[in-house]
Amino acid sequence: MEEFLVWAIWLVAALSCIATGVAVISFTNPFYSALALIGNLASLAALFLLASAEFVAAAQILVYAGAVMVMFLFVIAYLGGRADAPWAGGPRWLQLGAFIVGAALLMEVIVAVVTKANGDLSDSGEISRSFGSPAEIGRLFLTDHLLAFEITSIVLLVAAVAGVVLGMKSSAEDDA
């Protein structure tokens, strides 16, 4: 019974992930697309939970569905109807390229699933018990990947300062 419940939750989360992903790219209203993206991120978090990746699921909800999506919704609310779709009516070669890349990714997924179903893929390697734990991630960030971690924090700080500066220029132009 427990295995059936896990498969049922996986099926609901996977179908929800696909449906909300399609909704993100098919809605013309950016607000509804952002809401569909929140649903997509939540269903991905459910899939991470089923894969025993609790930390990644929590980060998915807190960072992406929480902070990043709130920022997206504020930007959409700020721009209102003035935002144009950047690729609407774009060149045909761009649409053709997007179709080719999408078809290539679909073929890659099909090949991986068929290869795994036939048993041609190797068994998974040995994973230590601490793999993916917050302590292990923190240790890696502050030892092996310290430079990349610090560069990322500097880039995020620059982006935040740039957002404030651009917002100040925008409000100064509105006052004039």
Side-chain angles (χ1 to χ4, degrees):
M1 181 64 178
E2 183 179 320
E3 187 174 323
F4 172 76
L5 186 61
V6 169
W7 277 104
I9 292 172
W10 181 87
L11 185 64
V12 168
L15 291 176
S16 173
C17 188
I18 292 170
T20 55
V22 169
V24 167
I25 61 173
S26 63
F27 285 147
T28 56
N29 186 332
F31 183 76
Y32 293 141
S33 289
L35 289 178
L37 186 57
I38 291 173
N40 187 274
L41 296 172
S43 60
L44 280 176
L47 291 173
F48 283 132
L49 282 174
L50 290 174
S52 298
E54 294 85 6
F55 180 75
V56 179
Q60 178 84 10
I61 293 294
L62 291 173
V63 174
Y64 293 113
V68 173
M69 289 312 301
V70 166
M71 181 188 66
F72 280 2
L73 291 174
F74 274 122
V75 168
I76 291 168
Y78 178 73
L79 293 176
R82 295 181 291 162
D84 292 330
W87 306 112
R92 293 288 294 165
W93 64 268
L94 193 59
Q95 294 171 357
L96 178 65
F99 178 77
I100 291 171
V101 168
L105 287 173
L106 179 64
M107 288 303 298
E108 183 177 355
V109 169
I110 290 171
V111 166
V113 168
V114 168
T115 306
K116 178 65 176 173
N118 289 340
D120 295 336
L121 289 180
S122 64
D123 292 332
S124 58
E126 185 65 33
I127 297 175
S128 69
R129 191 75 178 126
S130 66
F131 178 79
S133 68
E136 183 66 16
I137 291 171
R139 188 193 67 73
L140 286 172
F141 272 160
L142 298 175
T143 57
D144 297 350
H145 304 289
L146 181 62
L147 181 62
F149 185 67
E150 292 300 325
I151 289 172
T152 302
S153 64
I154 290 171
V155 168
L156 290 173
L157 177 66
V158 168
V161 170
V164 169
V165 169
L166 289 174
M168 289 174 45
K169 283 185 180 180
S170 175
S171 66
E173 291 171 0
D174 290 343
D175 293 339

